């Protein structure tokens, strides 16, 4: 049994999500190979070779993979798939974009967004925005899995696996990369931050969002998140959305500010270790998952909290 | 240009989910069912393209039981021109849905398929990508903007870290994200008109796609509740508890 893990990276740096996907793969058992597909991504291959439990790193370094287009990367993975029992990737937007294609081309179902490994082919995954947890068993010869990174602890980096080049070049796709607009945020990355401060609709404007949430996050060295309502209203960029259809986070501390706690939001944060909620409505559902609840006007409480830290 | 919009009938997003205590699944009996919210966004986008004179025809398709007709009527009331129900009482996995949709594409010959990024019941987020792979058409998932011109689709996608823009040759598959548009409500006259629009029914078995599940669902359970927390009376008390009790700051 050998497992192929697709590395998540930006051609320069290996993302932590990869070390978490490798942790899930280790729980499945068997040898682990990591595939780095990109352009000018040699350093990423070296970083992947250090991940504990990895037996070999395959680097496909070619312009065809520069922008991680689902079409070319899935073609590459299918080309390599023959020797593998499992093909695994973190459920990042890249993983979610690419892996179902791999599954379809191999004529198997994908097991999406697993939160636990029960056996080599048996997994837990949330459905209905986390209102239910399914245990599913795959029977296919090749098991295609995406991993909810927040549910696994990253493996260490004391390894030294050999790195091999892969020459396969995917055919020209019928899609072209045009541009990328990176959302700039000064603090730590939302997906892996130890502390997250999130703001909701109650902030009322982008200015107020920044005025209230940013200083608190800075004081705590926290990443910033947002509810869908705050993102839809333009107070925060799309990739800050926490929830069923946004990012799933599980930091040590999650502070929800003016967020009511709809199930779709809870889906993205209710496995945080400690949850703090600040809301003026004592009956807001967010308080049902909060370890510490504070009722009152955020425009008074948040500056006071920032000051007190 | 013809657009195909797959729409799924799911438990309404505002209904609290009841997990059956025997572990066999979620209780859907007598619950309000609606069109998957991401599919409403897909229908809206198709209508917008028609209103802009870019699309000429919109066909909605659903794979499901007889009641999925209601979901299709909702799409027709919003503004789709015709609908296809691929009828089955089986629980159809995304891979089989994608294969059925491929067969429907062969019958309908659309230039564009717009569908939801995720069904809010199974939370799979895979059918659009699978359909794209099976058709050999390019894909743009998680779309927040779609521009069609000169036989190409320019699609802005919501990705980790920001936004990405791709240019796709048509025909193509696009999956919708929340910010693409705000779906309209169907007016009463349009609901009435929708009753007269064509709705074709196909037996799923006639398409030659196996509907057998390949993932065995061993159990479906309610997640463990969090241990109850407490309310604090002041910012000072909160800071104190975070430092000495929770020890997270
Ligand atoms: C298909 C689908 C997918 C979705 N995906 C997501 C998702 O991924 N993430 C997500 O977050 N949502 C998602 N949602 C939306 C979700 O259902 C809620 O609508 C959303 O989370 C509400 O955001 P909110 O809590 O900021 O706003 P509201 O629900 O309006 O809550 C605002 C809160 O602020 C409080 N408040 C107001 N003023 C003050 C004040 N001055 N001081 C203190 N408190 C105040 C109010 O009491 C209230 O509790 C999704 C919905 C659907 C249908
Ligand atoms: N039974 C179905 N009938 C029609 N469309 C479907 C069906 N199942 C899934 N889809 C489409 O595929 C999208 C993604 O679903 P999923 O991959 O299950 O999360 C949905 O938003 C729909 O557009």
């Amino acid at each position: 049994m050998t497992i192929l893990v697709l590395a998540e990276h930006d051609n320069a740096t290996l993302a932590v999500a990869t070390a978490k996907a490798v942790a899930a793969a280790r729980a499945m058992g068997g040898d682990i190979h990591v595939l780095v597909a990109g352009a000018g991504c040699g350093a990423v291959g070296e970083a992947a070779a250090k991940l504990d439990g990895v037996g070999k790193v395959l680097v496909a370094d070619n312009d065809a993979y520069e922008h991680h287009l689902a079409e070319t990367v899935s073609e590459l993975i299918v080309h390599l798939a023959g020797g593998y029992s499992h093909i695994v990737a973190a459920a990042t937007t890249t993983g979610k974009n690419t892996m179902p294609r791999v599954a379809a081309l191999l004529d198997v179902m994908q097991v999406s967004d697993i939160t636990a490994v029960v056996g080599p082919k048996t997994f837990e995954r949330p459905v209905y925005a986390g209102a239910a947890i399914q245990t599913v068993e795959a029977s296919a010869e090749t098991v295609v899995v995406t991993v909810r990174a927040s549910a696994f602890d990253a493996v260490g980096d004391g390894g030294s696996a050999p790195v091999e080049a892969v020459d396969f070049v995917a055919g020209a796709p019928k899609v072209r990369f045009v541009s990328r607009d990176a959302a700039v945020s000064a603090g730590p990355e939302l997906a892996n931050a130890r502390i997250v401060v999130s703001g909701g609709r109650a902030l009322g404007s982008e200015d107020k969002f920044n005025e209230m949430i940013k200083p608190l996050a800075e004081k705590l060295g926290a990443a910033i998140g947002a509810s869908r309502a705050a993102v839809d209203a333009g107070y925060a960029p799309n990739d800050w959305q926490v929830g069923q259809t946004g990012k799933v986070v599980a930091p040590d501390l999650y502070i929800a500010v003016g967020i009511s706690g709809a199930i779709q939001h809870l889906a993205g944060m209710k496995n945080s270790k400690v949850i703090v909620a600040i809301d003026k409505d004592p009956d807001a559902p967010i308080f049902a998952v909060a370890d510490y609840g504070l009722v009152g006007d955020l425009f008074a409480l948040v500056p006071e909290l920032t000051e007190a830290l | 240009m013809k657009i195909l919009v797959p729409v799924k009938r799911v438990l309404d997003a505002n209904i609290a989910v009841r997990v059956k205590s025997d572990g066999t699944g979620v209780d859907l009996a007598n619950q309000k069912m609606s069109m998957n919210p991401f599919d409403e966004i897909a229908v809206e986008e198709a209508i917008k393209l028609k209103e802009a004179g870019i699309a000429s025809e919109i066909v909605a398709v659903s794979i499901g039981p007889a009641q999925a007709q209601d979901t299709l009527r909702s799409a027709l009331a919003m503004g789709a021109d015709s609908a296809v129900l691929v009828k089955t009482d089986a629980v159809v996995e995304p891979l089989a849905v994608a294969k059925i949709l491929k067969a429907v594409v062969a019958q309908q010959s659309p230039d564009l398929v717009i569908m939801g990024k995720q069904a809010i019941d199974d939370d799979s987020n895979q059918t659009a990508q699978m359909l794209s792979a099976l058709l050999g058409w390019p894909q743009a998932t998680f779309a927040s903007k779609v521009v069609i011109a000169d036989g190409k689709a320019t699609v802005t996608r919501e990705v980790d870290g920001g936004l990405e823009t791709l240019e796709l040759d048509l025909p193509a598959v696009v999956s919708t994200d929340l910010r693409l548009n705000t779906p309209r409500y169907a007016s009463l006259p349009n609901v009435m008109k929708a009753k007269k629009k064509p709705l074709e029914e196909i037996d799923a078995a006639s398409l030659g796609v196996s509907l057998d599940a390949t993932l065995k669902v061993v159990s479906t359970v309610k997640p463990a509740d969090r241990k109850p927390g407490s309310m604090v009376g002041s910012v000072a008390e909160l800071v104190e508890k975070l430092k000495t009790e929770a020890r997270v700051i």
Side-chain angles (χ1 to χ4, degrees):
Chain A
M1 211 173 105
T2 309
I3 301 173
L4 184 66
V5 177
L6 177 66
E8 170 80 22
H9 64 94
D10 61 0
N11 291 322
T13 317
L14 182 69
V16 183
T18 312
K20 297 184 172 187
V22 168
R26 272 183 123 174
M28 296 169 204
D31 295 334
I32 298 172
H33 295 175
V34 173
L35 170 65
V36 177
C41 55
V44 178
E46 278 158 37
K50 295 201 178 87
L51 294 178
D52 289 339
V54 172
K56 184 158 85 176
V57 174
L58 304 173
V59 178
D61 191 337
N62 192 286
D63 287 346
Y65 311 122
E66 181 181 2
H67 300 293
H68 311 119
L69 293 175
E71 286 79 356
T72 54
V73 176
S74 59
E75 192 180 326
L76 168 67
I77 295 174
V78 169
H79 168 78
L80 297 169
Y84 294 100
S85 58
H86 298 66
I87 301 175
V88 175
T92 56
T93 49
T94 314
K96 288 177 187 170
N97 193 36
T98 308
M99 297 297 273
R101 296 183 65 89
V102 173
L105 296 170
L106 295 174
D107 197 22
V108 302
M109 268 289 291
Q110 167 179 280
V111 188
S112 301
D113 215 15
I114 63 161
T115 50
V117 177
V118 179
K121 291 188 172 187
T122 308
F123 312 98
E124 283 181 12
R125 59 178 304 267
V127 291
Y128 288 92
I133 307 292
Q134 264 187 358
T135 300
V136 295
E137 199 182 309
S139 54
E141 208 172 305
T142 316
V143 182
V144 176
V145 174
T146 60
V147 174
R148 177 172 292 193
S150 66
F152 294 86
D153 292 326
V155 298
D157 56 359
S160 59
V163 179
E164 246 176 50
V166 177
D167 323 316
F168 178 83
V169 181
K174 294 176 226 164
V175 47
R176 288 155 299 277
F177 172 85
V178 176
S179 63
R180 196 175 181 102
D181 258 326
V184 277
S185 61
E189 199 200 336
L190 178 56
N192 305 302
R194 202 182 68 78
I195 303 179
V196 173
V197 180
S198 285
R201 192 199 308 271
L203 273 308
S205 70
E206 186 183 1
D207 287 349
K208 283 288 170 197
F209 192 100
N210 289 336
E211 190 185 318
M212 293 288 130
I213 302 297
K214 272 197 179 150
L216 177 56
E218 262 164 39
K219 206 64 173 275
L220 289 165
I224 301 179
S227 71
R228 173 194 174 179
V231 176
D232 282 3
Y235 310 163
N238 62 278
D239 78 316
W240 289 6
Q241 181 180 309
V242 170
Q244 176 187 21
T245 55
K247 287 211 171 75
V248 181
V249 298
D252 289 349
L253 174 60
Y254 187 91
I255 304 182
V257 178
I259 293 179
S260 62
I263 180 164
Q264 293 90 356
H265 188 79
L266 301 186
M269 46 63 78
K270 71 177 177 192
N271 291 323
S272 303
K273 286 207 185 77
V274 175
I275 297 173
V276 170
I278 300 176
D279 200 286
K280 71 172 183 195
D281 175 5
D283 296 324
I286 190 76
F287 289 123
V289 301
D291 298 278
Y292 303 106
L294 184 54
V295 175
D297 180 12
L298 75 91
F299 295 105
L301 294 171
V302 171
E304 195 187 332
L305 176 59
T306 308
E307 186 67 23
L309 289 165
Chain B
M1 185 172 93
K2 183 170 176 178
I3 303 178
L4 184 73
V5 186
V7 296
K8 186 178 185 185
R9 176 178 180 265
V10 298
L11 181 65
D12 187 272
N14 298 306
I15 302 287
V17 173
R18 285 204 310 255
V19 183
K20 291 190 213 165
S21 55
D22 62 0
T24 57
V26 164
D27 189 2
L28 298 177
N30 305 317
Q31 301 278 16
K32 182 178 179 202
M33 305 293 282
S34 297
M35 190 190 304
N36 184 43
F38 287 99
D39 305 352
E40 289 182 336
I41 296 173
V43 174
E44 176 66 33
E45 195 63 16
I47 297 169
K48 283 218 162 84
L49 288 168
K50 193 174 168 195
E51 286 170 346
I54 294 163
S56 50
E57 188 185 352
I58 303 166
V59 182
V61 52
S62 192
I63 296 139
Q67 297 93 316
Q69 279 187 9
D70 300 343
T71 314
L72 289 167
R73 291 284 172 209
S74 306
L76 294 170
M78 284 176 75
D81 298 296
S82 64
V84 179
L85 172 63
V86 181
K87 203 166 136 192
T88 169
D89 289 321
V91 176
V92 189
E93 290 177 340
L95 178 61
V97 171
K99 289 179 180 174
I100 289 171
L101 290 175
K102 184 183 174 191
V104 174
V105 164
Q107 291 177 357
Q108 297 283 340
S109 313
D111 304 285
L112 182 64
V113 179
I114 310 183
M115 54 204 287
K117 80 162 179 182
Q118 183 168 336
I120 60 162
D121 50 3
D122 64 31
D123 282 335
S124 280
N125 193 334
Q126 54 178 316
T127 308
Q129 298 88 319
M130 288 182 149
L131 176 62
S132 159
L134 295 178
L135 288 168
W137 293 6
Q139 75 181 39
T141 52
F142 326 146
S144 65
K145 188 175 174 202
V146 176
V147 178
I148 309 278
D150 308 327
K152 292 184 172 52
T154 304
V155 180
T156 304
R157 310 176 51 232
E158 295 203 1
V159 296
D160 297 340
L163 296 168
E164 180 187 83
T165 303
L166 299 176
E167 184 190 78
L168 294 80
D169 297 338
L170 296 178
V173 177
V174 170
S175 83
T176 60
D177 216 321
L178 295 169
R179 255 72 60 183
L180 183 57
N181 59 49
T182 307
R184 69 194 64 194
Y185 288 103
S187 66
L188 197 58
N190 285 344
V191 171
M192 301 313 287
K193 262 196 254 163
K195 293 188 175 150
K196 298 202 186 78
K197 288 185 179 174
L199 194 161
E200 180 195 353
E201 231 175 82
I202 308 176
D203 183 2
S206 72
L207 294 173
V209 173
S210 165
L211 303 177
D212 297 342
T214 61
L215 285 184
K216 182 174 155 207
V217 179
V218 182
S219 68
T220 305
V221 299
K222 227 176 131 223
D225 284 329
R226 282 182 77 89
K227 67 169 176 41
S230 58
M231 299 307 268
V232 293
S234 68
V235 164
E237 191 188 339
L238 174 63
V239 172
E240 170 67 18
K241 291 237 158 117
L242 290 176
K243 280 187 175 150
T244 59
E245 197 176 86
R247 295 164 191 265
V248 284
I249 56 169

